């Protein structure tokens, strides 16, 4: 319907494989995402949610809208407090941040700093989300073996074309033992508003444990690329698994396999930089 496709914003990709493409995200997709994330993170009026990402990044919408919809307090720190690792830790304590959503490169650097200092973790922090790039297994293990059991650590996966986040993998810190044989952190299971499929070259589902390409469907699939009909047709394809007229899947180009009830990122089907 026209209401379902109403435009919320156009967000340009990084252009790692060429000219950046403007992704058209709908109001319906953004609203569904905000409601789903708010429920997944169990945001309440008592939460203090960190606004870390710049407004030029779509993750900022994941920080802002779920918090406001569910009555949480949004905390906007000074730039100096998110560029200095020690200052960042101090700010989390001072502002009593309960939920933080951090890009993986910053999280890795911050984790290394905390481990080196053997620092006490901010006690108010109850949910720490990591995403945007591959999550280091050793850094993850440090949190799951060091943090308080009150802290939930979440690895998030998603794309601009499918409205920010599509899968989540969560563990309680302190309740898990580090798996010495694990080589990666799972990207988890689909968010309530997303549907995910691991398919072969003919778009047929592969057996569990077999590698395939990840396709994402659901409410968050964008309208397409701004003024790029050929690129849109190549990546946004009809959804053969949906009964909704006009439903589409996004062809991510990411290779994954299902193991232990969770998706694991394997690599790319091309040379594009991802995760």
């Amino acid at each position: 319907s026209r209401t379902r496709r109403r435009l919320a914003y156009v967000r340009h990709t990084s252009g790692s494989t060429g000219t950046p493409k403007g992704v058209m995200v709908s109001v319906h997709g953004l609203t569904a995402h905000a409601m789903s994330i708010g429920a997944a993170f169990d945001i309440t009026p008592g939460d203090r949610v960190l606004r870390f990402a710049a407004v030029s990044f779509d993750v900022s919408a994941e920080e802002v809208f779920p918090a406001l919809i569910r009555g949480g307090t949004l905390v906007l720190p000074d730039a100096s407090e998110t560029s200095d690792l020690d200052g960042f830790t101090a700010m989390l304590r001072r502002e009593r941040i309960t939920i933080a959503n951090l890009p993986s490169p910053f999280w890795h650097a911050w984790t290394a700093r905390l481990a080196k200092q053997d620092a006490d973790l901010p006690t108010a922090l109850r949910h720490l989300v990591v995403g945007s790039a591959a999550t280091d297994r050793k850094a993850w293990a440090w949190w799951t073996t060091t943090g308080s059991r009150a802290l939930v650590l979440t690895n998030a996966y998603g794309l601009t074309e499918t409205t920010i986040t599509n899968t989540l993998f969560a563990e309680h810190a302190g309740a898990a033992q580090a798996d010495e044989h694990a080589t990666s952190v799972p990207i988890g299971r689909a968010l309530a508003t997303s549907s995910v499929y691991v398919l072969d070259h003919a778009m047929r589902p592969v057996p569990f444990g077999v590698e395939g390409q990840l396709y994402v469907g659901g409410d968050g699939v964008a309208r397409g690329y701004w003024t790029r009909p050929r690129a849109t047709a190549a990546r946004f394809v009809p959804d053969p698994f949906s009964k909704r007229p006009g439903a589409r899947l996004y062809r991510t180009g990411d290779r994954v396999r299902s193991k232990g009830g969770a998706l694991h990122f394997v690599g790319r089907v091309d040379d594009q930089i991802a995760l």
Side-chain angles (χ1 to χ4, degrees):
S1 70
R2 182 175 299 179
T3 300
R4 188 181 186 90
R5 291 173 52 82
R6 187 175 298 159
L7 189 65
Y9 59 76
V10 176
R11 185 84 61 176
H12 282 77
T13 61
S14 62
S16 56
T17 58
T19 305
K21 298 183 289 292
V23 180
M24 298 183 290
V25 172
S26 70
V27 171
H28 174 81
L30 181 60
T31 302
H33 172 79
M35 298 292 287
S36 187
I37 285 291
F41 296 168
D42 192 25
I43 300 174
T44 71
D47 277 309
R48 295 176 60 80
V49 181
L50 179 67
R51 210 301 304 276
F52 182 94
V55 294
S56 56
F57 292 96
D58 57 0
V59 175
S60 64
E62 184 170 283
E63 295 169 328
V64 173
F65 296 118
L68 298 183
I69 286 173
R70 294 178 67 96
T73 297
L74 194 65
V75 179
L76 283 66
D78 292 333
S80 61
E81 295 176 315
T82 57
S83 59
D84 175 75
L85 297 176
D86 292 336
F88 178 72
T89 305
M91 180 274 295
L92 292 181
R93 291 195 181 102
R94 184 183 68 252
E95 296 293 342
R96 306 187 312 283
I97 299 297
T98 61
I99 301 175
N101 195 333
L102 304 178
S104 299
F106 182 90
W107 176 79
H108 288 135
W110 183 48
T111 299
R113 182 70 170 176
L114 291 172
K116 183 178 181 180
Q117 295 178 332
D118 194 23
D120 292 332
L121 303 179
T123 56
L125 191 63
R126 71 168 187 83
H127 203 133
L128 179 59
V129 186
V130 186
S132 82
T135 300
D136 180 73
R137 183 71 203 189
K138 290 183 179 179
W140 182 272
W142 183 85
W143 279 93
T144 57
T145 55
T146 304
S148 163
R149 294 190 63 170
L151 174 66
V152 175
L153 189 61
T154 294
N155 191 34
Y157 166 90
L159 306 109
T160 303
E161 289 90 344
T162 50
T163 312
I164 312 170
T165 294
N166 306 118
T167 68
L168 299 171
F169 174 76
E171 281 189 327
H172 278 273
Q177 296 295 320
D179 185 348
E180 297 179 356
H181 302 290
T183 58
S184 64
V185 181
I187 60 173
R189 300 179 180 181
L191 201 61
T193 48
S194 294
S195 53
V196 296
Y197 304 93
V198 186
L199 308 179
D200 64 14
H201 66 281
M203 290 188 66
R204 297 171 302 199
V206 301
F208 288 108
V210 175
E211 180 184 314
Q213 184 175 174
L214 180 63
Y215 287 72
V216 178
D219 293 322
V221 176
R223 288 170 47 175
Y225 296 118
W226 179 260
T227 68
R228 300 283 295 275
R230 289 187 179 180
T232 296
R235 300 302 290 268
F236 295 85
V237 298
D239 184 349
F241 309 106
S242 175
K243 296 181 180 180
R244 181 170 60 82
R248 295 172 303 152
L249 296 176
Y250 179 70
R251 191 196 311 265
T252 69
D254 289 333
R255 292 181 291 117
V256 300
R257 67 166 54 94
S258 180
K259 179 181 177 182
L263 293 175
H264 291 250
F265 177 78
V266 177
R268 290 286 301 172
V269 299
D270 52 32
D271 295 324
Q272 179 175 327
I273 300 171
L275 278 183

